[in-house]
């Protein structure tokens, strides 16, 4: 399951994901500080980081989609986790995109309210953190993007044919 989009043998998707995570976090911090002190600088910081976060998330998504489509075996547990990872990232992108749509025109003047920015960016960051956990699972548990040693490669079919990990608890009858 080695990454299909690389530079000098290094997977590109993990190289890029830190940027939207940092920008999304900064967006939430900017909205929070703006909510507390009302200084335009903090709103502008939140807007600028929101723009950068959405742009870099789109950039990071391209190699991620290619790796998921062409590097992860169909009907594998890794594919299930990868799809959930992608869905959460798309949800985060949508939430931050909605926030950007609300606040992009407030660069030169105060926002009419900060609650939507706080709410959307907090929910978007929560989705991003959950997606990050699943991305970590892809690397740690399913070896996505990892160049394996020959011994590890001999064990890889067992890893790839493992049963999917349930992402939620079902109700159990007592």
């Amino acid at each position: 399951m080695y990454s299909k989009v690389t530079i000098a043998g290094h997977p590109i998707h993990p190289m890029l994901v830190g940027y939207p995570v940092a920008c999304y976090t900064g967006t939430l911090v900017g909205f929070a500080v703006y909510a507390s002190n009302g200084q335009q600088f903090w709103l502008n910081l939140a807007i600028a980081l929101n723009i950068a976060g959405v742009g870099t998330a789109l950039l990071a998504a391209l190699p991620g989609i290619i790796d998921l489509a062409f590097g992860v075996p169909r009907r594998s547990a890794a594919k299930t986790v990868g799809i959930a990872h992608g869905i959460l990232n798309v949800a985060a992108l949508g939430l931050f995109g909605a926030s950007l749509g609300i606040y992009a025109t407030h660069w030169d003047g105060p926002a009419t309210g900060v609650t939507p920015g706080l709410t959307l960016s907090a929910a978007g960051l929560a989705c991003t953190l959950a997606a990050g956990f699943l991305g970590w699972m892809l690397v740690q548990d399913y070896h996505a993007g990892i160049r394996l040693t020959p011994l590890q490669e001999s064990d890889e079919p067992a890893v790839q044919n493992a049963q999917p990990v349930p992402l939620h608890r079902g109700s159990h009858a007592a």
Side-chain angles (χ1 to χ4, degrees):
M1 254 186 359
Y2 196 63
S3 192
K4 301 300 178 193
V5 185
T6 63
I7 294 176
H10 301 284
I12 294 176
H13 179 69
M15 289 182 204
L16 298 176
V17 297
Y19 295 101
V21 171
C23 291
Y24 287 170
T25 303
T27 299
L28 178 59
V29 169
F31 278 127
V33 175
Y34 176 71
S36 71
N37 69 16
Q39 293 178 1
Q40 187 68 32
F41 169 82
W42 294 102
L43 177 62
N44 290 355
L45 180 70
I47 293 168
L49 288 172
N50 202 347
I51 291 167
V54 167
T56 57
L58 290 170
L59 188 62
L62 295 175
I65 290 167
I66 293 168
D67 285 345
L68 180 63
F70 301 108
V72 180
R74 294 177 190 226
R75 296 181 192 88
S76 68
K79 185 69 101 175
T80 303
V81 172
I83 289 169
H85 171 75
I87 289 169
L88 284 167
N89 278 315
V90 168
L93 180 61
L95 290 162
F96 279 98
S99 174
L100 186 57
I102 293 169
Y103 290 97
T105 60
H106 294 278
W107 187 264
D108 292 323
T112 55
V114 73
T115 303
L118 284 170
T119 305
L120 291 168
S121 58
L125 189 57
C127 288
T128 300
L129 292 173
F133 174 76
L134 294 177
W136 173 82
M137 278 182 64
L138 286 168
V139 173
Q140 185 67 28
D141 297 344
Y142 302 111
H143 310 137
I146 305 269
R147 187 174 296 148
L148 301 174
T149 66
L151 180 59
Q152 290 169 324
E153 281 189 33
S154 68
D155 292 335
E156 193 63 8
V159 171
Q160 294 308 317
N161 293 320
Q163 293 297 314
V165 175
L167 297 177
H168 62 82
R169 292 183 180 185
S171 60
H172 300 287

